[in-house]
Amino acid sequence: MGSNAGGVALTIVLLVLIIFVVIVLVRSVRIIPQARAGVVERLGKYQRTLNPGLTILIPFVDRLLPLLDLREQVVSFPPQPVITEDNLVVSIDTVVYFQVTDPRAATYEIANYIQAVEQLTTTTLRNVVGGLNLEEALTSRDQINGQLRGVLDEATGRWGIRVSRVELKAIDPPLSIQDSMEKQMRAERDRRAAILTAEGTKQSQILTAEGERQSAILKAEGDAKAAILRADGESQAIQKVFGAIHKGNPTQKLLAYQYLQTLPKLADGSSNKLWIIPSEVGEALKGIGNVLGKVSPDSAEAGAEAGFEAPEPPSGSSGGSHSA
């Protein structure tokens, strides 16, 4: 019985030692992942900062604090009411991009660096936007982002945090202001549309007038050239006719005959009620009568051979000629 009791006790002691060794090994050997950092305290005092990899700690003497994420983090803060310079309350929500650069300072210099960044962002935002009116606040986002980033980076530097970017997600003015802004923008668009329509009408009228002027000028130039060409043609025709007449050396009898042929054209037309015969008609008829009264001997002989006899002159005539 005594030997059995001693064996059981020895087994229990060995099991306890094995468990103790396992616990010591677990607390002594730690693996730090990539982009993480750990702060080690020895007897409650800062001892060192652990980098990624395998490390050995002294059990029950060294204590490893929760690991810190060294990657860039993004934190979105809820909308905050901010009063502008013209006493309008706008709601602004922000997004902050930051990164832990010093694990020791982020652990011992500030209790909760995320909450600290949020509160600092809110107060800085109110200071920056408080010096701008509503229109400037809506159109100066880059300026506001730059000022926020400068103030936050300077304040969080001693906390071991680097603020890389600060962005304004939205700036929401009151509903009444939004309605007024929409009406103003609508009126501005209507004004621009009316101006563009008036400019288009003006340009259209100018182009139409210019086209009509150019058309009238070209038409007048065409009419002038056509009149000149017609005048030149008539002049050349007259010169040719005149030259042909002089070249043919017409007699007075031919001219009288042509004159008589032209007379009916003077009375042509349904509106002519009165025909005035010029005094030259008598002279023309006299010349034609002389021509018709004179018959050459050759013509008389030719008529006799053909069986025709010349008509005898009426009684009371004085020879072979008569006058009409």
Side-chain angles (χ1 to χ4, degrees):
M1 292 293 294
S3 61
N4 292 333
V8 172
L10 182 60
T11 303
I12 294 174
V13 171
L14 290 176
L15 290 176
V16 171
L17 288 176
I18 292 173
I19 294 173
F20 179 77
V21 171
V22 171
I23 293 175
V24 169
L25 290 176
V26 170
R27 294 179 63 91
S28 299
V29 179
R30 293 295 179 89
I31 297 176
I32 308 299
Q34 186 66 33
R36 301 291 193 278
V39 175
V40 177
E41 290 181 346
R42 178 167 295 177
L43 299 177
K45 184 179 179 181
Y46 171 78
Q47 201 272 332
R48 70 181 187 275
T49 299
L50 299 181
N51 296 321
L54 179 65
T55 184
I56 303 298
L57 300 178
I58 300 176
F60 308 107
V61 177
D62 293 339
R63 184 171 70 96
L64 179 63
L65 299 181
L67 299 180
L68 298 176
D69 194 345
L70 301 181
R71 295 172 298 178
E72 188 173 11
Q73 303 180 45
V74 181
V75 179
S76 178
F77 301 131
Q80 300 294 329
V82 180
I83 301 176
T84 61
E85 187 180 14
D86 46 0
N87 296 325
L88 293 176
V89 179
V90 296
S91 179
I92 303 177
D93 51 345
T94 56
V95 178
V96 178
Y97 299 79
F98 68 93
Q99 184 179 12
V100 177
T101 57
D102 188 354
R104 179 182 179 278
T107 302
Y108 296 106
E109 296 295 336
I110 189 71
N112 189 339
Y113 57 82
I114 295 180
Q115 183 179 4
V117 170
E118 178 182 0
Q119 296 300 322
L120 183 59
T121 301
T122 301
T123 55
T124 306
L125 183 64
R126 289 175 177 173
N127 292 333
V128 173
V129 178
L132 303 174
N133 55 37
L134 179 60
E135 185 175 357
E136 292 175 348
L138 293 175
T139 58
S140 304
R141 291 197 176 192
D142 293 339
Q143 178 183 354
I144 296 174
N145 294 340
Q147 294 182 6
L148 285 175
R149 180 185 176 280
V151 174
L152 290 175
D153 196 20
E154 181 180 358
T156 58
R158 59 187 184 89
W159 300 340
I161 297 174
R162 181 180 63 86
V163 177
S164 58
R165 295 179 63 185
V166 179
E167 297 290 341
L168 301 182
K169 289 178 60 177
I171 302 177
D172 299 326
L175 296 178
S176 59
I177 301 299
Q178 293 183 15
D179 185 61
S180 300
M181 293 172 62
E182 291 178 359
K183 291 181 180 179
Q184 181 181 0
M185 292 301 298
R186 192 179 302 113
E188 180 67 19
R189 286 193 294 268
D190 293 341
R191 185 183 68 84
R192 292 181 180 178
I195 292 175
L196 292 177
T197 302
E199 288 290 338
T201 304
K202 175 184 175 182
Q203 291 295 331
S204 176
Q205 293 177 353
I206 291 175
L207 293 177
T208 302
E210 183 67 21
E212 293 177 353
R213 187 178 71 87
Q214 292 291 338
S215 176
I217 292 174
L218 294 176
K219 184 178 180 181
E221 291 178 352
D223 294 341
K225 291 181 179 180
I228 292 173
L229 292 176
R230 284 195 298 269
D232 291 342
E234 293 177 357
S235 175
Q236 294 178 5
I238 292 172
Q239 290 179 359
K240 288 183 178 180
V241 171
F242 188 76
I245 292 173
H246 282 273
K247 184 177 180 180
N249 193 17
T251 62
Q252 185 66 27
K253 300 174 183 178
L254 178 60
L255 294 178
Y257 180 71
Q258 288 294 115
Y259 186 78
L260 290 176
Q261 286 184 334
T262 308
L263 285 178
K265 297 181 180 179
L266 297 176
D268 190 12
S270 59
S271 61
N272 294 331
K273 303 299 182 180
L274 180 63
W275 184 22
I276 300 175
I277 299 177
S279 60
E280 291 84 356
V281 174
E283 297 294 333
L285 293 176
K286 183 184 296 184
I288 294 175
N290 294 332
V291 172
L292 295 178
K294 295 179 179 180
V295 180
S296 61
D298 296 336
S299 297
E301 292 178 358
E305 292 177 359
F308 294 99
E309 294 181 357
E312 296 180 359
S315 59
S317 60
S318 58
S321 63
H322 63 276
S323 61

